[in-house]
Amino acid sequence: MPRTAFFISDGTGITAETLGRSLLAQFENVEIHMVTKPYIDSTEKAQNLATVIEATAVRDGESPIIIDTIVDQTIREIITQAPGFKVDIFTTFLAPLEEELHTHSSYSVGRTHAIGKDEVYMHRIDSVHFALDNDDGARVHQYDKADIILVGVSRCGKTPTSLYLALQFGIRAANYPLTEDDLDEDGNLKMPKALATYRHKLFGLTIDPRRLAAIRTERRPNSRYCSIDQCLLEVQQAEALYRRHHVPFIDTTRFSIEEISTRMIAETGLQRRFSPR
């Protein structure tokens, strides 16, 4: 039978959901419906959620899994009374840490996601703005300010990866599309002039041509743009360019954005401005 997992928080729910999904991902043979419930910050909300959890237990015929980061003791007690297998992240981890560090935790709601005084929040916003301003080769004159420049054919994952690098690590990522405008007289892909000065910042993305064709078909069906022959040609030319100019690259076909980004950072030694949320 499928199981339901609730990620509950009196803040954003990011911590509970991130840890919960990481733990539950280890159980591939179990069908789990995941529900995130942020901002459970009053007894009324907690009581309503407890009712939902109880109804879910009856519907599923199995106790829901409850993973929470609730700080308020009164609210936690209400959730505790709901039927379910409970993983209280704060109680599980903070109590032993308090003992080891010989001090009490502040038990602050949303502490890891607060704006704070260390300018992490502003770094994140600035980096996201930079990624948006420099998306798809929009402002090549700003490449001197980029930490990394992603290159690749259209729809291979450049934009979402750039934004993820910005949001999670504060990395200023620009991206540049390789198109027919970059072909030489013989029809071969050449190093674009806008990128030539910044070869040390380049990182290539590639993708399986069949997957690329499927993605492009959703955008422009029945066009040359999405044909398998065109996709195969573009991918081959892009990879040849990477090898010719010693540009490191990664195949995005079977990797998530998180995996692409962390592999990229590991391979290039790119400096994170802060740890992920």
Side-chain angles (χ1 to χ4, degrees), residues 148-167:
I148 192 169
I149 304 169
L150 308 186
V151 294
V153 301
S154 172
R155 312 304 288 180
C156 69
K158 300 184 300 300
T159 297
T161 303
S162 297
L163 288 170
Y164 185 85
L165 287 168
L167 185 62

Side-chain angles (χ1 to χ4, degrees), residues 54-74:
E54 185 173 357
T56 301
V58 173
R59 182 198 67 199
D60 292 351
E62 294 278 3
S63 296
I65 299 164
I66 301 173
I67 299 176
D68 80 87
T69 54
I70 299 290
V71 173
D72 186 276
Q73 186 62 36
T74 302

Side-chain angles (χ1 to χ4, degrees), residues 11-128:
T12 63
I14 292 173
T15 300
E17 181 175 357
T18 300
L19 180 57
R21 286 183 178 275
S22 296
L23 293 172
L24 296 175
Q26 308 305 313
F27 302 92
E28 298 179 357
N29 297 326
V30 181
E31 181 182 348
I32 302 176
H33 175 55
M34 303 181 191
V35 180
T36 302
K37 293 292 184 180
Y39 301 113
I40 304 301
D41 50 10
S42 69
T43 55
E44 182 181 0
K45 290 180 180 179
Q47 288 165 351
N48 290 338
L49 179 55
T51 301
V52 171
I53 293 173
E54 185 173 357
T56 301
V58 173
R59 182 198 67 199
D60 292 351
E62 294 278 3
S63 296
I65 299 164
I66 301 173
I67 299 176
D68 80 87
T69 54
I70 299 290
V71 173
D72 186 276
Q73 186 62 36
T74 302
I75 295 175
R76 288 174 65 199
E77 288 177 358
I78 295 173
I79 298 299
T80 299
Q81 293 171 9
F85 177 79
K86 300 171 184 67
V87 181
D88 184 334
I89 295 175
F90 280 167
T91 299
T92 302
F93 297 109
L94 286 186
L97 280 171
E98 287 177 334
E99 183 176 347
E100 176 64 25
L101 298 174
H102 308 295
T103 187
H104 291 292
S105 163
S106 63
Y107 284 83
S108 300
V109 179
R111 185 91 177 164
T112 56
H113 313 295
I115 292 177
K117 298 180 179 180
D118 58 359
E119 299 184 349
V120 166
Y121 180 79
M122 293 310 300
H123 275 307
R124 177 176 285 125
I125 296 303
D126 287 345
S127 298
V128 170

Side-chain angles (χ1 to χ4, degrees), residues 50-274:
T51 301
V52 171
I53 293 173
E54 185 173 357
T56 301
V58 173
R59 182 198 67 199
D60 292 351
E62 294 278 3
S63 296
I65 299 164
I66 301 173
I67 299 176
D68 80 87
T69 54
I70 299 290
V71 173
D72 186 276
Q73 186 62 36
T74 302
I75 295 175
R76 288 174 65 199
E77 288 177 358
I78 295 173
I79 298 299
T80 299
Q81 293 171 9
F85 177 79
K86 300 171 184 67
V87 181
D88 184 334
I89 295 175
F90 280 167
T91 299
T92 302
F93 297 109
L94 286 186
L97 280 171
E98 287 177 334
E99 183 176 347
E100 176 64 25
L101 298 174
H102 308 295
T103 187
H104 291 292
S105 163
S106 63
Y107 284 83
S108 300
V109 179
R111 185 91 177 164
T112 56
H113 313 295
I115 292 177
K117 298 180 179 180
D118 58 359
E119 299 184 349
V120 166
Y121 180 79
M122 293 310 300
H123 275 307
R124 177 176 285 125
I125 296 303
D126 287 345
S127 298
V128 170
H129 284 166
F130 184 86
L132 291 171
D133 285 345
N134 291 275
D135 183 41
D136 225 20
R139 302 189 180 185
V140 297
H141 64 278
Q142 294 185 358
Y143 283 178
D144 59 318
K145 299 181 179 67
D147 297 316
I148 192 169
I149 304 169
L150 308 186
V151 294
V153 301
S154 172
R155 312 304 288 180
C156 69
K158 300 184 300 300
T159 297
T161 303
S162 297
L163 288 170
Y164 185 85
L165 287 168
L167 185 62
Q168 292 295 324
F169 305 112
I171 291 172
R172 290 191 167 199
N175 73 78
Y176 184 96
L178 298 174
T179 68
E180 292 182 343
D181 292 338
D182 299 311
L183 297 176
D184 61 21
E185 295 178 355
D186 297 323
N188 297 315
L189 197 61
K190 61 183 179 181
M191 176 63 70
K193 290 182 179 179
L195 303 180
T197 307
Y198 304 103
R199 292 188 190 183
H200 61 292
K201 294 185 178 183
L202 302 183
F203 199 99
L205 300 184
T206 188
I207 188 172
D208 181 271
R210 289 165 296 184
R211 174 60 180 155
L212 180 61
I215 294 172
R216 288 183 173 184
T217 297
E218 294 179 3
R219 190 178 186 187
R220 286 189 217 161
N222 303 316
S223 65
R224 174 172 168 268
Y225 172 75
C226 70
S227 71
I228 187 63
D229 289 341
Q230 179 65 23
C231 291
L232 180 61
L233 175 63
E234 289 185 32
V235 169
Q236 288 177 338
Q237 289 185 330
E239 291 184 2
L241 176 73
Y242 302 152
R243 294 189 178 97
R244 191 162 60 249
H245 293 281
H246 307 289
V247 175
F249 67 95
I250 187 173
D251 188 331
T252 65
T253 308
R254 295 177 181 82
F255 290 135
S256 65
I257 295 173
E258 294 87 347
E259 290 174 304
I260 295 167
S261 300
T262 52
R263 286 172 180 268
M264 192 179 298
I265 290 172
E267 186 167 339
T268 61
L270 204 58
Q271 187 66 41
R272 308 181 186 193
R273 287 195 170 84
F274 47 76

